[in-house]
Amino acid sequence: MDDLSVQVALTCPTCGCTEFAYETPASGQDFTDDWAFTCAHCGRTFTRAELIEANAESIDMTVSDMGDDIVDELAKDLKKALKKQGWKIK
């Protein structure tokens, strides 16, 4: 199956800006839920968890939209596998 990953741009719930200042995690470290992000436009600071919660609707819509793509890719993979086994698939 092809890579079906996507990125959802998080927006500031105050002003709608998509640019944030933050400290980059050290090598081998991941962002934590309490990691601070500051909006580049209005200067408001949020935790990672707060930004994700504020953008939950956009994230959910993206995941929902991906559902069809995932099903389509799985169907293609299944057809290929069945054809390899000698099945006649239309």
Side-chain angles (χ1 to χ4, degrees):
M1 186 179 329
D2 294 335
D3 180 24
L4 294 174
S5 63
V6 296
Q7 291 184 355
V8 178
L10 300 180
T11 59
C12 174
T14 302
C15 69
C17 183
T18 58
E19 295 180 31
F20 297 89
Y22 55 91
E23 289 186 32
T24 305
S27 180
Q29 183 183 17
D30 289 328
F31 288 107
T32 60
D33 283 344
D34 60 346
W35 207 275
F37 290 81
T38 302
C39 177
H41 179 72
C42 70
R44 187 166 171 202
T45 300
F46 304 91
T47 64
R48 179 177 177 260
E50 290 170 333
L51 273 176
I52 290 171
E53 179 63 30
N55 287 271
E57 187 174 333
S58 295
I59 294 167
D60 291 344
M61 286 176 52
T62 301
V63 170
S64 178
D65 290 346
M66 284 185 67
D68 293 338
D69 294 337
I70 293 169
V71 170
D72 291 345
E73 286 297 319
L74 286 172
K76 287 180 194 175
D77 288 351
L78 180 59
K79 284 180 182 179
K80 286 179 188 175
L82 291 175
K83 283 182 179 180
K84 268 187 167 178
Q85 296 298 317
W87 290 64
K88 292 184 180 184
I89 306 293
K90 292 184 179 184

